[in-house]
Amino acid sequence: MESRNSAQLFERAVRVIPGGVNSPVRAFAPVGGRPRFISSAKGSILTDEDGNSYIDYIGSWGPMILGHNDERVVAAVKAQIDRGLSFGAVTAPEVDMAELITGMVPCVEMVRMVNSGTEAVMSAIRAARGFTGKNRIIKFEGCYHGHADALLVKAGSGLMTAGTPGSAGVPEGCVRDTLTAAYNDIDSVQALFEENRDEIACVIVEPVAANMGVVTPEGGFLEALRQICDDNGALLIFDEVITGFRMGIDGAAGYYGITPDLVTYGKIIGGGMPVGAYGGRKDVMECVAPVGKVYQAGTLSGNPVAMRAGITQLEILKNNPQIYVELAAKGERLRNGMRDIIERRSLPYCVTGIASLSCLYFTQGPVADYQAAGRSDTEKFADYFRFMIDRGNYLGPSQFEAIFVSAAHTDAQIDKTLSDMDDYFAG
Ligand code: KE4
């Protein structure tokens, strides 16, 4: 049942906000209907403006790994608020956060806080260009790295959802140095290095591509990227805005045993507050102002309230590693249940995923890259989405987003979602 108040809010919103949303993927455009305006959340449950509740499978697109409104995170935010919201000066929480991240992730020797994943990536790219003195970058089709001009090329997430590989308003000059390769196709990377010898500053990759659904790296792919970058004097950047602190305490870099030169973070490190970060090799990070000549700044970077939220969430994850075992088990439960339904009902679909990230693709599969993901039946996905949300399962409103589970999801909730999925395909 559509939320009446959501309908009224959306009619107001579209008059004063482009598309009625502050981020396109929230608009429900590809799945039809109007977005549900969420009024509150707790644990794995969202509640909309009419009191309808949903099992939440986006978790604010990743930050809510512990579940919504974890009391410990909320208490830390409230304590900091009583001391002040923002000072525009150095604060202890920033040092605590930097020491926490560099202590948790061996490849991060230094880190700089920013306010979003987009800022983290654009800054890391600038640091790589400043450090190497080279301009060209390689990204992968279907990977999304935020909305900085140079990265809006064959990107995933909202661009893939809209079926537009790029964006209006991005001058050719801004993307002239952005080269795209195919995910899981190391030959496509090698070819670009041969065509652009000694001109490539970095390769940026989502170590698990979670913006074209969920595409995992095939064996040897990440290792080969590391080797190609070493062979050609280019930096390897892991965009871990989604995977960072989600796949384990040291993210995908630790999970796969690869040492990138730079890593970008967001989402989880903010505990729900606006935060991003980039970090890595000390010699590269010391190119960044005020030490080096790569300029990057931000009024609210390292905001103490956001730091306290993120520090609290990261410390909980660091001190309770069994959370990752539980998250993986929940992800497996969901994936195995979906695969069982596909097999039992002989559906031409496939399920991918790893740890707490999953995707149900409405295509036969296998899905190992952008082209394969793009063959999904997005109309069928939209029909499925509408059925599932009306049954109280809040999935990402796009075939090309991940399904996130949190520490707060119960087996009973996952089984309920699977039962609803089975009902849909029974119909
Ligand atoms: P933000 O600027 O949205 O904080 O982060 C950009 C970003 C960078 N890198 C990766 C791997 C990301 O997934 C993202 C943002 N993720 C999307 C969800 N697929 C954000 C959702 C939205 O755009 O509203």
Side-chain angles (χ1 to χ4, degrees), residues 22-26 60-62 115-121 143-147 156-158 206 208 210-211 239-243 264-267 275-276 400-402 404:
N22 284 311
S23 196
V25 76
R26 303 178 193 168
S60 184
W61 301 106
N115 298 284
S116 69
T118 293
E119 259 195 278
V121 169
C143 285
Y144 178 72
H145 302 292
H147 66 89
S157 189
E206 288 182 64
V208 171
N211 285 288
D239 180 351
E240 295 221 42
V241 168
I242 285 184
T243 56
T264 56
Y265 296 119
K267 300 179 191 279
V275 179
F400 307 114
E401 298 291 350
F404 295 85

Side-chain angles (χ1 to χ4, degrees), residues 303-375:
N303 171 271
V305 178
M307 293 299 99
R308 284 293 174 219
I311 287 165
T312 305
Q313 178 149 277
L314 289 181
E315 285 180 336
I316 292 166
L317 293 168
K318 177 184 175 185
N319 298 330
N320 299 278
Q322 81 283 356
I323 289 176
Y324 290 109
V325 175
E326 293 161 7
L327 281 166
K330 295 172 198 281
E332 274 303 306
R333 187 182 192 93
L334 180 63
R335 289 189 290 274
N336 290 339
M338 293 195 287
R339 289 183 177 120
D340 171 63
I341 293 167
I342 286 171
E343 189 177 334
R344 191 157 33 82
R345 296 186 178 281
S346 304
L347 301 170
Y349 306 137
C350 70
V351 172
T352 64
I354 190 165
S356 53
L357 295 168
S358 304
C359 183
L360 167 61
Y361 281 108
F362 284 68
T363 181
Q364 185 73 49
V367 177
D369 61 20
Y370 177 79
Q371 302 304 327
R375 287 193 281 270

Side-chain angles (χ1 to χ4, degrees), residues 12 43 92 94 96 195 236 277 282 289 325 333 358 375 401:
R12 288 168 48 198
E94 294 166 84
D96 294 342
E195 293 157 20
L236 177 60
K282 188 170 189 291
V325 175
R333 187 182 192 93
S358 304
R375 287 193 281 270
E401 298 291 350

